[in-house]
Amino acid sequence: MKPNLKILMPVLLILLSFGCQKAEEEKIQRPNIIFIMSDDHAYQAISAYDNTLIETPNIDRIAKMGMLFTNASVTNSICAPSRATILTGKHSHLNGKVDNHFPFDTTNITFPQIFQEAGYQTAMFGKLHFGNSPKGFDQFKILPGQGSYYNPDFITKNEGDIKVEGYVTDIITDMTLDWLQNERKADQPFMLMYLHKAPHREWLPAERHVEEFTNRTFKEPATLFDDYSGRGRAAKEAEMNLLTDMHWSGDSKVYPEVMDELGIEETSSWDKGAFEREVGRLNESQRANWDKAYMKVNEDFKKAYPTMTEKDKMKWRYQRYMQDYLGTIQSVDENVGRVLDYLEENNLMENTIIVYTSDQGFYLGEHGWFDKRFVYNESFKTPLLVAWPEKVKAGSKSDEMVQNLDFAQTFLAAAGIEAPSDMQGESLLPLLTGETDKWMRDAVYYHYYEYPAVHMVKRHYAIVTQDYKLTHYYFDVDEWELIDRKNDPMEMTNVYDDPAYAEIRVDLHRQLDDLREKYGDNSQLSQQYIDRYLDDLSDQKGFFGGKNAELIDKIFENREKK
């Protein structure tokens, strides 16, 4: 019996139409993604975590709408390697970007490329840190390298190199909002990377904040005067101390002529140069407002300096550091609020994943330090706040061990896009959607490489669980450190040789070996990266100075003997 085509044809057309409509609905329902990342924003400086230092009501809105992660961390606490891990979903030793020294391997496949190929509209504004033509973006305007706080230059996709008058945090937000308003396609999901320079060194606040913040006083951390007696050479030999290693002019904003008048020597060869490079970009009006606040700081310092003890100087430098660092964060928070307001006013909240994070944590005087690099909490941990209305429970928290390694696979999973098999992270969707029984990780892996270098933090790798942290410092030392995270939250004492931790130590060593095997890291790879780095630096060793100059000379002398 032949089918009656006159009857079947309308039915087939209805089914085909329904199928196309359903596919189109599913396509439209794919979530938008806004990835907001600042540079060196410590979790201690977000009031959703701790409001001791500053209130950040707009960043906090993301936590109130969604989930706050209290144990989020990075795989390698330094700017460019962290960004490479985020983009590739791979540990540093596999994506090749182990330090700030060597370029990013552009043969790596990044998650924005995958989104673009899957039909997402993609854009990036702000600080990438490496390269000048990020792959996978329909539109980008990025800062060259570290970028500048005032009147910054940008590398753009369609306009060439440009210079924009104003303050960098405001400008990056202006560009982001302009894209959302004028270039975003309403019929296409988007993946937007909104990346701030602030609060990266040298911490220049916006004009509107300099007077307020230079007059504020902040609570000192309990470990500001840490003498590192409970730890080994790595902590003792690092060059991150607020008093001895922070730049007087570039960081603390002591004018070069005031340094000369007081007989203060430069901390490094680029101390005064950093001030002149950054403050020198201000136009006449900006400089007048700047000098109004900072000349008073300098005059007060000149009067106090002759009678200041070393302790007084440390306290003064901490306050100067916090005034400028937190002043830059005030602008970040204001501008995050501008973007959130736009999303609400234009009905874009409902199906948009909003992430706020930093490329790593930062020391705010803890252990007497600034900067990052170490696996100690303030550097290793990073803020992570995720909102996705109707998907993520408002005001929820997670203390699971998650990492920046997981971002790429989380975004891909949320969009229903298959992740490449060589990505090493885990999707956070089970945690975000309340299916915590599907989350299996209980330990994360960390590896820092850039040594010898600025700040002189030794090479080390570690396993971190919610309870413990086992770290191996290697290359020019061979030291193991075990920290009891619950009983020693300030991480002051190495209990590796304590008999009470003998069984824990053995178990952590086993777990660490398993993680290194799982992620494909080993001593041979580490040695290859050491050889490549030192070979490239052999004619630049004079760049390194500071209190470890003799140690650096010894490193290169030993290498030449081999």
Side-chain angles (χ1 to χ4, degrees), residues 39 126 177 243 285 292 312 401-402 424 512 530 543 553:
D39 193 318
L177 292 173
L243 177 59
S285 173
K292 183 179 178 182
D312 292 335
M401 304 297 296
V402 304
Q424 296 182 301
L512 177 57
I530 289 170
F543 171 79
D553 288 340

Side-chain angles (χ1 to χ4, degrees), residues 441-559:
R441 181 194 289 157
D442 57 9
V444 295
Y445 182 62
Y446 181 88
H447 198 155
Y448 174 79
Y449 298 84
E450 192 168 296
Y451 175 87
V454 173
H455 299 303
M456 292 297 287
V457 174
K458 296 187 185 296
R459 294 172 183 252
H460 58 287
Y461 58 87
I463 179 174
V464 186
T465 70
Q466 289 195 14
D467 295 328
Y468 301 103
K469 185 178 294 180
L470 177 67
T471 306
H472 183 213
Y473 294 96
Y474 68 96
F475 175 44
D476 64 336
V477 292
D478 182 12
E479 292 183 347
W480 286 92
E481 183 174 86
L482 175 58
I483 298 292
D484 185 332
R485 299 185 74 198
K486 292 293 176 66
N487 292 313
D488 181 20
M490 294 184 185
E491 301 179 301
M492 302 290 283
T493 305
N494 179 10
V495 295
Y496 186 82
D497 293 321
D498 187 332
Y501 290 85
E503 290 185 12
I504 293 167
R505 184 179 67 222
V506 170
D507 185 55
L508 286 170
H509 270 286
R510 177 190 58 77
Q511 291 186 62
L512 177 57
D513 290 344
D514 289 346
L515 277 185
R516 281 167 66 79
E517 182 176 356
K518 173 183 176 180
Y519 291 125
D521 199 9
N522 54 59
S523 298
Q524 290 74 28
L525 263 178
S526 296
Q527 188 60 50
Q528 288 175 23
Y529 283 122
I530 289 170
D531 292 339
R532 183 180 72 155
Y533 183 70
L534 293 183
D535 286 346
D536 202 63
L537 285 185
S538 59
D539 62 346
Q540 301 177 38
K541 59 184 179 182
F543 171 79
F544 302 111
K547 62 190 178 187
N548 286 311
E550 291 183 9
L551 175 61
I552 293 168
D553 288 340
K554 186 177 180 180
I555 288 171
F556 283 99
E557 286 172 10
N558 290 340
R559 180 165 178 77

Side-chain angles (χ1 to χ4, degrees), residues 169-213:
T169 309
D170 302 334
I171 294 166
I172 291 168
T173 307
D174 291 343
M175 291 174 170
T176 299
L177 292 173
D178 179 71
W179 182 86
L180 283 167
Q181 180 65 28
N182 299 312
E183 294 187 49
R184 179 181 63 84
K185 298 175 181 177
D187 61 348
Q188 196 174 355
F190 66 84
M191 195 286 296
L192 169 64
M193 301 190 80
Y194 166 46
L195 312 174
H196 285 295
K197 168 185 171 60
H200 192 278
R201 193 181 188 187
E202 277 79 15
W203 316 298
L204 274 66
E207 290 178 79
R208 60 186 179 274
H209 297 310
V210 291
E211 184 174 358
E212 175 192 353
F213 276 84

Side-chain angles (χ1 to χ4, degrees), residues 267-546:
T267 304
S268 80
S269 59
W270 45 288
D271 187 339
K272 292 178 181 177
F275 178 90
E276 290 160 356
R277 182 189 70 239
E278 294 302 318
V279 179
R281 293 186 68 92
L282 276 63
N283 61 33
E284 185 176 351
S285 173
Q286 292 165 344
R287 186 61 191 261
N289 286 325
W290 178 273
D291 285 340
K292 183 179 178 182
Y294 284 92
M295 286 186 74
K296 181 179 184 303
V297 169
N298 277 261
E299 288 300 320
D300 290 345
F301 179 67
K302 280 201 307 183
K303 293 175 184 175
Y305 185 78
T307 60
M308 291 173 79
T309 64
E310 295 299 285
K311 186 175 181 180
D312 292 335
K313 293 173 188 174
M314 182 69 156
K315 286 172 167 285
W316 184 86
R317 301 206 74 178
Y318 169 75
Q319 294 300 331
R320 278 277 52 252
Y321 172 34
M322 286 298 91
Q323 289 166 355
D324 290 346
Y325 177 91
L326 296 170
T328 68
I329 288 173
Q330 186 80 0
S331 296
V332 172
D333 187 69
E334 290 169 351
N335 280 283
V336 167
R338 291 175 63 199
V339 171
L340 296 179
D341 289 346
Y342 179 90
L343 297 176
E344 288 178 346
E345 291 164 4
N346 290 273
N347 300 315
L348 286 171
M349 277 290 193
E350 184 177 338
N351 196 34
T352 299
I353 298 172
I354 305 168
V355 175
Y356 186 89
T357 190
S358 174
D359 51 356
Q360 61 262 322
F362 215 66
Y363 296 102
L364 305 185
E366 299 89 358
H367 307 293
W369 288 335
F370 67 107
D371 208 69
K372 55 258 184 181
R373 302 168 197 261
F374 274 112
V375 75
Y376 297 122
N377 280 344
E378 292 82 7
S379 165
F380 164 71
K381 290 175 63 175
T382 194
L384 179 60
L385 304 80
V386 182
W388 190 5
E390 298 186 10
K391 297 284 187 179
V392 179
K393 183 180 177 181
S396 55
K397 288 186 179 182
S398 174
D399 64 356
E400 296 291 348
M401 304 297 296
V402 304
Q403 288 192 296
N404 58 349
L405 182 71
D406 304 320
F407 295 168
Q409 277 157 283
T410 301
F411 300 150
L412 291 168
I417 304 170
E418 185 176 356
S421 60
D422 59 350
M423 282 189 173
Q424 296 182 301
E426 304 285 344
S427 169
L428 302 181
L429 287 189
L431 299 177
L432 292 168
T433 58
E435 298 181 296
T436 54
D437 57 314
K438 294 181 180 179
W439 181 259
M440 306 306 293
R441 181 194 289 157
D442 57 9
V444 295
Y445 182 62
Y446 181 88
H447 198 155
Y448 174 79
Y449 298 84
E450 192 168 296
Y451 175 87
V454 173
H455 299 303
M456 292 297 287
V457 174
K458 296 187 185 296
R459 294 172 183 252
H460 58 287
Y461 58 87
I463 179 174
V464 186
T465 70
Q466 289 195 14
D467 295 328
Y468 301 103
K469 185 178 294 180
L470 177 67
T471 306
H472 183 213
Y473 294 96
Y474 68 96
F475 175 44
D476 64 336
V477 292
D478 182 12
E479 292 183 347
W480 286 92
E481 183 174 86
L482 175 58
I483 298 292
D484 185 332
R485 299 185 74 198
K486 292 293 176 66
N487 292 313
D488 181 20
M490 294 184 185
E491 301 179 301
M492 302 290 283
T493 305
N494 179 10
V495 295
Y496 186 82
D497 293 321
D498 187 332
Y501 290 85
E503 290 185 12
I504 293 167
R505 184 179 67 222
V506 170
D507 185 55
L508 286 170
H509 270 286
R510 177 190 58 77
Q511 291 186 62
L512 177 57
D513 290 344
D514 289 346
L515 277 185
R516 281 167 66 79
E517 182 176 356
K518 173 183 176 180
Y519 291 125
D521 199 9
N522 54 59
S523 298
Q524 290 74 28
L525 263 178
S526 296
Q527 188 60 50
Q528 288 175 23
Y529 283 122
I530 289 170
D531 292 339
R532 183 180 72 155
Y533 183 70
L534 293 183
D535 286 346
D536 202 63
L537 285 185
S538 59
D539 62 346
Q540 301 177 38
K541 59 184 179 182
F543 171 79
F544 302 111

